[in-house]
Amino acid sequence: QVQLVESGGGLVQTGGSLRLSCAASGRTFSSYVMGWFRRAPEKEREFVAAISRSGGDKYYGASTKGRFAISRDNAKSTAYLQMNRLDPEDTAVYSCAAANSMTENGLLYNYWGQGTQVTVSS
């Protein structure tokens, strides 16, 4: 198993930036694809980004591509989500997750963190 803990959420103004972190413990972090998802109030869970085991391949959801950047540091067992040009529509609980393959399907992610709240004020 792997345990995931997110941090870095908070309140930011429109146009601002935040960097989320996802610290992993347990089984070897580098053996998992890592993904970020978000859920806004009264909306379905949305895929944000995924990164391959080595970090060489990255995949983004349509609403965040070009503004968000996913990365990972396998030596630190941590994944990151850099969020730029934030908009009130980005307000949501952001969760990281671990999977065995590159996918935007949340059902294929085996391990999840508890989530961190991001609120963007207008």
Side-chain angles (χ1 to χ4, degrees):
Q1 281 195 342
V2 61
Q3 291 77 43
L4 303 173
V5 179
E6 302 94 338
S7 61
L11 175 65
V12 64
Q13 291 185 333
T14 296
S17 299
L18 279 176
R19 188 176 83 153
L20 305 183
S21 298
C22 173
S25 60
R27 292 189 63 181
T28 306
F29 175 74
S30 60
S31 65
Y32 292 101
V33 168
M34 295 301 298
W36 284 95
F37 292 79
R38 68 185 183 184
R39 177 167 280 170
E42 302 181 358
K43 291 187 177 180
E44 297 289 322
R45 182 173 61 197
E46 180 185 8
F47 169 76
V48 174
I51 188 168
S52 62
R53 293 172 179 81
S54 68
D57 292 320
K58 302 172 184 180
Y59 179 49
Y60 295 93
S63 63
T64 58
K65 191 174 184 179
R67 298 187 298 124
F68 291 10
I70 190 171
S71 61
R72 67 190 296 163
D73 185 336
N74 286 340
K76 295 182 178 179
S77 297
T78 302
Y80 304 96
L81 184 69
Q82 177 67 43
M83 306 186 294
N84 300 321
R85 304 200 312 272
L86 284 162
D87 182 88
E89 290 292 313
D90 297 315
T91 295
V93 174
Y94 285 72
S95 298
C96 65
N100 294 317
S101 61
M102 285 284 279
T103 177
E104 64 179 77
N105 186 347
L107 296 177
L108 298 181
Y109 284 78
N110 301 313
Y111 305 104
W112 291 81
Q114 82 289 350
T116 185
Q117 176 70 46
V118 171
T119 302
V120 185
S121 64
S122 58

